[in-house]
Amino acid sequence: MSIKAFSEYLLLEKKYSEHTVMAYTRDIINFQEFLIQHHDTEHLLNANYSVIRQWIVELVDKNISNRSINRKVSSLNSYYKFLLKTEELESNPLKQHKALKVGKKLQLPFSEQELKLVLENSIEIIDFETARNHFIIELLYATGIRRIELVNLKLNDINSGNDQIKVLGKRNKERYIPLINSLKKSLNRYLEFRKDLPEIIDGDMLFLTKNGLKIYEKLVYRIINKYFSEASSKSKCSPHVLRHSFATHLLNKGADLNTVKELLGHTSLAATQVYTHSSITELKKVHANAHPRNRE
């Protein structure tokens, strides 16, 4: 069974994004190249666990992180599961494999002060791009949506009458997020500049470049990095940190974990719980101030 058939399965049946499918395919081809180089074969069906272990050792020797290695092996494992499903394989060579240990990655959110500085003081709104950039930052922080979800937003996904935004998440799962008042102001201001663009090519999309084309992920990253690098001392200033900030700040203010899960578009509560560690300091403050025994 070809890798192409596996890619089509992920894309059409599993509803994975093109970006995700490309990542899976790249990992499998990487292993196939290892087989060609070290075992004079390109047939993935012939690889046993001993051979796969050799590949993992080589990846370790190349100083590739355990997290990245686990991802590559996971891609290969998904491929073998697909071959079992299509009856091309009788036994998965990775059945007994245990993932390499990965240290917990602590990612600090932006503080409320940093957000306020960027949104209220760092952007002078004088033209289309500054109005768009401000709206992008405010939308990411106010909704917690992913960068790709923002890029794919369409004009008709915004329902000002019902004060909500329709977001198409992973595996084409739709969710609705409230449209708060500050967002509506930023939206209307952005749309005023947007309608005066000399040319609009991708007119159904919400976010455009100054040339009237659909915005792209790298540009969103550059926008976030530009403004927050000036306002924050954090080493990483990305759209995902804004998503992290959204979840953490909601939890700090007492939001229910299940509610935050739904807003983020997570399928399991475990995925949302990674944000709770940032709330521990705030919880300690609340506990110290509220518990009667702490006053004795």
Side-chain angles (χ1 to χ4, degrees), residues 94-190:
L94 279 164
K95 185 178 180 180
Q96 303 300 326
H97 175 73
K98 292 184 179 180
L100 302 180
K101 289 185 178 180
V102 177
K104 288 188 177 180
K105 200 173 179 182
L106 184 64
Q107 191 174 75
L108 294 175
F110 296 122
S111 68
E112 291 183 45
Q113 291 75 18
E114 287 170 334
L115 265 301
K116 186 175 181 180
L117 177 61
V118 170
L119 288 169
E120 296 183 11
N121 300 318
S122 298
I123 308 175
E124 184 182 2
I125 301 169
I126 56 175
D127 55 17
F128 166 77
E129 287 189 300
T130 50
R132 180 202 63 196
N133 295 352
H134 185 276
F135 182 40
I136 283 174
I137 293 170
E138 186 151 24
L139 183 63
L140 287 170
Y141 177 51
T143 64
I145 62 175
R146 301 175 178 92
R147 175 172 43 162
I148 187 62
E149 292 171 343
L150 179 139
V151 166
N152 289 328
L153 279 175
K154 296 182 178 180
L155 276 173
N156 59 14
D157 289 331
I158 307 291
N159 189 328
S160 297
N162 290 333
D163 292 338
Q164 64 185 21
I165 304 170
K166 182 176 75 174
V167 178
L168 190 64
K170 289 185 176 181
R171 304 186 189 182
N172 292 326
K173 184 180 178 182
E174 289 183 358
R175 68 184 188 278
Y176 291 86
I177 301 175
L179 186 65
I180 60 178
N181 288 330
S182 62
L183 266 184
K184 288 194 283 187
K185 291 178 184 177
S186 297
L187 166 66
N188 293 332
R189 181 173 54 205
Y190 164 68

Side-chain angles (χ1 to χ4, degrees), residues 30 54-64 69 72:
N30 179 258
Q54 292 172 27
W55 178 51
I56 294 172
V57 169
E58 182 180 86
L59 294 174
V60 171
D61 289 342
K62 289 180 178 178
N63 291 322
I64 295 173
I69 293 172
K72 289 176 182 292

Side-chain angles (χ1 to χ4, degrees), residues 31-32 34-35 38-39 41-57 73 76-77 79-80 83 89-97:
F31 177 60
Q32 191 175 51
F34 168 83
L35 290 177
H38 296 282
H39 296 275
T41 181
E42 61 178 16
H43 297 298
L44 297 161
L45 287 170
N46 297 335
N48 57 31
Y49 186 60
S50 176
V51 171
I52 297 171
R53 284 289 300 172
Q54 292 172 27
W55 178 51
I56 294 172
V57 169
V73 176
L76 188 61
N77 190 35
Y79 179 66
Y80 283 134
L83 295 180
L89 194 66
E90 292 183 1
S91 177
N92 184 349
L94 279 164
K95 185 178 180 180
Q96 303 300 326
H97 175 73

Side-chain angles (χ1 to χ4, degrees), residues 128 190-200 210:
F128 166 77
Y190 164 68
L191 292 178
E192 283 296 313
F193 281 107
R194 183 186 184 278
K195 71 181 183 182
D196 292 330
L197 285 174
E199 184 179 18
I200 295 180
K210 63 182 179 181

